[in-house]
Amino acid sequence: MAHLKMPAYRSPWMDDDLDDLRGLAREFFQREAVPHLENWTQNHQVDRDFWRKAGQAGLLCLSIPEEYGGGGGHFGHEAVVFEEQGYIGDSSFGNGVHSGIVAPYLLAYGTEAQKKRWLPKMATGEMVGAIAMTEPGAGSDLQALKTTAVREGDEYVINGSKTFITNGTHADLIIVVARTGGEGAKGLSLIVVETEGQEGFQRGRVLDKLGLRGQDTRELFFDDMRVPAENMLGEEEGQGFVQLMQQLPQERLTIAVGCIAATEFVLRETVSYVKERRAFGQAIAEFQNTRFELAECVTEGLAARTLVDMCVSKAIAGDLDAVSASQAKYLASDKQNEIIDRCLQLFGGYGFMLEYPVARAYADARVQRIYGGTNEIMKVLIARGLLDS
């Protein structure tokens, strides 16, 4: 586990190339992100220029082939960057959505022209990506989505609204999940919207969230928004649900990677705090309860990490399955919430103060069990894989 004094553990998917990338990413986040974390939280968004700096540093779209402007790597390269962001306690930068979710959709389902048009700009940070699935009345149940896209000649006319959209402020490119056909799964399609100068497109309010305070999460509205029909992903209408199901395992693994990094960050902060804080004439670290709590938290965190590492190895090999990804997302987010709660207790009253990273991490952690499919849905998928095959 990184940053903690404990028996050495190295993720089996790491290699020398990824070690070099980790050093680059760590130095970048320390230099370009750490001094601005408080401002990002207050402004509910990262600075737009930060995206360009990340692109210039070569930290965006690392799993995208070089011919489309990406890093030519694999999911392990993305995971290293996600981890290093987590190790500074940042939850504002929406690269997990941009590089871990949106870019892979374009790579998997885009035409050659679409990939060459959008991916290079995402890799440089010139374009920020978002995906618009969730609606006010539909979250985990994607088949209940109501946003419509009606074909009129060479255009789709899109009407509806989306909510809880990460990168909602800065997004220049949004994959919209819309209903092009009838009810149910077969009626959904994915349509890419370029937001600059787009009539009928409106960004709603910045949402006031419990955690992820520095993330630009917004509502989006579409009112007779006309988009070129050529912006649809896939060969024909109605492929959206299948495309979502194929890509959701990597989205869930991306979440799990972030969960583990955030957990390890808090454990590091807690170990440092209990060594320095004194009560009843001795460091808190000397109390048996503190030692037992940390022993259990570190062990359980490491156990969760090994499951996530197994899934990262599968993703690198190209055989990540829905059940394994669901297991990783469910366990990693549950353990993140549990371990951070126990660590916060060791801070006493200071753990309740937002000036302490543990308090912010506690608030950030709660949504991990909700988005990307609730953990209850993860258990349904796991059980289905066990019992319905």
Side-chain angles (χ1 to χ4, degrees):
M1 184 179 298
H3 306 298
L4 286 177
K5 184 178 180 181
M6 58 175 291
Y9 173 79
R10 176 181 170 83
S11 296
W13 48 270
M14 287 293 296
D15 57 27
D16 292 342
D17 176 55
L18 293 174
D19 284 334
D20 291 340
L21 173 62
R22 188 177 296 282
L24 171 67
R26 183 170 299 175
E27 190 277 334
F28 174 81
F29 283 119
Q30 286 291 336
R31 183 185 71 248
E32 301 292 349
V34 169
H36 306 290
L37 294 180
E38 185 175 344
N39 286 337
W40 292 351
T41 298
Q42 293 175 351
N43 295 333
H44 302 296
Q45 64 182 44
V46 303
D47 301 326
R48 181 61 180 84
D49 193 49
F50 184 77
W51 283 98
R52 298 184 183 90
K53 290 180 179 179
Q56 291 169 1
L59 298 178
L60 300 179
C61 300
L62 287 169
S63 59
I64 299 302
E66 293 180 0
E67 63 186 293
Y68 304 121
H74 49 63
F75 182 78
H77 292 82
E78 307 286 9
V80 165
V81 177
F82 301 154
E83 286 182 345
E84 288 304 316
Q85 178 185 349
Y87 289 151
I88 64 167
D90 175 54
S91 61
S92 302
F93 182 40
N95 185 44
V97 169
H98 177 90
S99 296
I101 300 174
V102 176
Y105 271 97
L106 300 180
L107 180 65
Y109 310 117
T111 64
E112 193 67 15
Q114 288 172 334
K115 288 184 280 192
K116 289 182 176 178
R117 178 177 180 178
W118 294 318
L119 287 173
K121 292 181 180 180
M122 289 186 66
T124 61
E126 181 180 348
M127 297 187 88
V128 175
I131 185 164
M133 294 190 212
T134 304
E135 298 178 1
S140 293
D141 183 10
L142 295 176
Q143 298 186 53
L145 296 178
K146 299 297 185 184
T147 294
T148 60
V150 178
R151 181 75 178 260
E152 290 188 4
D154 294 332
E155 295 178 317
Y156 280 105
V157 181
I158 302 178
N159 284 281
S161 64
K162 300 289 183 177
T163 192
F164 309 143
I165 306 305
T166 300
N167 297 336
T169 297
H170 291 314
D172 307 285
L173 181 149
I174 303 172
I175 298 176
V176 176
V177 185
R179 188 162 296 284
T180 52
E183 296 297 316
K186 294 182 179 180
L188 298 176
S189 299
L190 307 185
I191 301 174
V192 178
V193 176
E194 295 179 80
T195 62
E196 184 176 1
Q198 178 64 59
E199 295 184 4
F201 170 74
Q202 182 179 355
R203 303 179 203 266
R205 62 190 177 100
V206 177
L207 300 175
D208 191 17
K209 307 182 296 296
L210 169 66
L212 309 181
R213 303 287 293 175
Q215 194 179 97
D216 57 335
T217 312
R218 299 184 85 124
E219 299 171 316
L220 303 178
F221 300 98
F222 317 121
D223 183 13
D224 287 338
M225 180 177 69
R226 292 182 173 270
V227 178
E230 64 185 21
N231 282 21
M232 187 187 72
L233 295 180
E235 298 178 354
E236 59 185 14
E237 292 182 357
Q239 296 180 333
F241 189 78
V242 172
Q243 293 166 338
L244 291 167
M245 292 303 101
Q246 290 172 342
Q247 293 298 314
L248 278 170
Q250 179 162 310
E251 175 179 346
R252 288 159 182 163
L253 179 55
T254 296
I255 293 170
V257 169
C259 291
I260 295 299
T263 302
E264 293 175 352
F265 165 74
V266 169
L267 283 167
R268 182 192 69 194
E269 293 290 312
T270 306
V271 168
S272 176
Y273 178 81
V274 298
K275 288 180 178 179
E276 298 173 359
R277 182 70 176 176
R278 299 183 65 83
F280 301 101
Q282 61 182 354
I284 296 174
E286 297 302 317
F287 291 104
Q288 186 183 64
N289 179 69
T290 300
R291 290 171 172 255
F292 281 6
E293 284 291 289
L294 287 175
E296 292 176 9
C297 288
V298 167
T299 302
E300 292 176 18
L302 179 59
R305 167 168 275 287
T306 60
L307 172 60
V308 173
D309 280 342
M310 180 195 76
C311 290
V312 173
S313 295
K314 285 189 172 189
I316 292 171
D319 60 2
L320 177 66
D321 59 282
V323 170
S324 295
S326 298
Q327 290 174 319
K329 192 269 183 184
Y330 144 62
L331 184 66
S333 59
D334 262 20
K335 285 301 174 185
Q336 177 189 10
N337 278 263
E338 177 188 330
I339 290 171
I340 292 177
D341 180 66
R342 294 172 74 175
C343 286
L344 187 150
Q345 190 73 13
L346 295 176
F347 280 75
Y350 291 103
F352 202 64
M353 300 295 106
L354 285 174
E355 64 189 85
Y356 279 75
V358 68
R360 299 192 293 273
Y362 178 85
D364 291 343
R366 188 58 184 85
V367 74
Q368 304 274 50
R369 293 162 56 193
I370 298 173
Y371 60 17
T374 66
N375 281 8
E376 290 74 21
I377 294 294
M378 297 304 98
K379 294 174 187 178
V380 169
L381 296 175
I382 296 165
R384 184 180 298 163
L386 289 171
L387 303 174
D388 296 347
S389 58

